[in-house]
Amino acid sequence: MAHIEIHALSVKLAGTFEAHVFFPEQEVEKAEEKFPVLWMIHEDGTGTFDLMRHAALMEKIAEEKKMFVIAPMISHSLATNMAFGTKNEEFLVEECPEIFRFLYPVSEKKEDNYIFGIHTGAYGAVKLAMKHPDAYAGCFAVNGELDIAGRCKDSKNREAGFRHQSEESLKAVFGDLDRVSGGQEDIYHLAGNAKIRIELFCSTKLDRYKDNKRLEEADTFVTLTGVDKTEDFQQIEEMIQAGADKIIR
């Protein structure tokens, strides 16, 4: 098993970026075909820390599924082309895959590419899957903080809803926060238009469970699995494994 930290140049991000790559080294060395990829979108503001907590599981999934797991760092961008900043959505969907297809034998086929995220990273993964259904075969999300538009619209909850964002930093990401709801960064607005399979896993004890349920009700391609446990590390890992088992062919 190989776990490699990559630093590469990105035009869309106007600088270098860090990514972690997991793959079954022996399988890759002897194989001639290209490998499927699971793209991981980390939680807002956590970056490498969020990833490394789950490194052992990422290695396990890469080994079991005979695939690459690639986790690029996108800082505080919420996987969004920022109103005042870098083009993170374009980076994740267009530039980042091209970089790794140049470096490694990873497949460009839709049916070989999957995406997932945790908490606010789940918002990013679901949004990218809905906006770019031709790029991914499926998506899964763990304890997703999905109603980002609602958080931005409610001034009382703007900063309370984001551990690593202030109201001003959210404006840098989205611009006019009152216009996020009903726009292209609002996954409830996108729901039902992109026919892509999305599996949600969420603790029923979290307030955000109702937001996950709302998305399931809004889109026939979305399925929610409720887990009747409080959120902890083991539960999150179990849901990640369940998502990988359910969505990856």
Side-chain angles (χ1 to χ4, degrees), residues 15-242:
T16 58
F17 72 95
E18 175 185 347
H20 288 257
V21 184
F22 305 86
F23 59 91
E25 188 172 14
Q26 293 183 342
E27 297 287 336
V28 171
E29 287 178 349
K30 66 184 181 182
E32 296 182 359
E33 74 274 12
K34 293 182 179 180
F35 287 77
V37 183
L38 175 61
W39 300 93
M40 177 184 180
I41 308 300
H42 64 77
E43 183 179 2
D44 176 56
T46 60
T48 303
F49 172 74
D50 189 39
L51 169 65
M52 294 312 297
R53 294 177 67 221
H54 304 290
L57 180 57
M58 297 302 101
E59 292 177 353
K60 179 174 179 287
I61 290 172
E63 188 68 44
E64 286 179 347
K65 308 295 183 184
K66 301 294 184 277
M67 70 188 310
F68 279 68
V69 178
I70 301 177
M73 301 297 110
I74 55 170
S75 188
H76 297 270
S77 71
L78 294 165
T80 300
N81 287 338
M82 298 175 66
F84 304 98
T86 50
K87 303 302 181 184
N88 298 277
E89 180 179 328
E90 293 178 14
F91 165 72
L92 290 167
V93 177
E94 301 170 10
E95 186 181 32
C96 188
E98 288 300 320
I99 290 171
F100 284 99
R101 289 165 190 164
F102 175 78
L103 294 174
Y104 297 107
V106 295
S107 175
E108 69 282 356
K109 296 178 181 179
K110 167 185 172 174
E111 59 265 31
D112 290 333
N113 282 266
Y114 307 87
I115 189 168
F116 90 100
I118 307 167
H119 298 160
T120 49
Y123 160 78
V126 171
K127 179 178 69 173
L128 294 181
M130 286 184 167
K131 292 179 75 172
H132 305 278
D134 292 336
Y136 308 103
C139 168
F140 67 93
V142 173
N143 284 348
E145 185 72 68
L146 302 180
D147 191 14
I148 300 299
R151 292 285 192 182
C152 289
K153 188 175 183 180
D154 184 351
S155 60
K156 294 180 180 178
N157 288 327
R158 282 174 185 168
E159 295 191 19
F162 300 93
R163 290 186 296 168
H164 303 285
Q165 297 272 10
S166 66
E167 184 169 350
E168 289 306 311
S169 68
L170 286 172
K171 288 178 181 178
V173 174
F174 296 113
D176 185 346
L177 299 183
D178 292 326
R179 294 181 177 271
V180 179
S181 181
Q184 289 300 299
E185 309 309 324
D186 180 355
I187 62 175
Y188 298 99
H189 175 72
L190 301 172
N193 295 317
K195 296 175 173 59
I196 183 170
R197 184 182 175 193
I198 298 174
E199 296 284 343
L200 307 178
F201 296 82
C202 189
S203 168
T204 59
K205 299 184 182 300
L206 294 175
D207 288 341
R208 72 190 74 154
Y209 178 79
K210 65 180 183 298
D211 296 327
N212 283 255
K213 185 65 177 175
R214 175 186 166 199
L215 186 61
E216 180 189 43
E217 293 170 349
D219 194 322
T220 57
F221 283 81
V222 175
T223 302
L224 171 62
T225 299
V227 179
D228 191 23
K229 296 180 180 178
T230 56
E231 183 178 42
D232 59 28
F233 178 78
Q234 181 179 350
Q235 181 222 51
I236 290 173
E237 294 241 301
E238 289 173 356
M239 288 193 285
I240 294 172
Q241 183 69 65

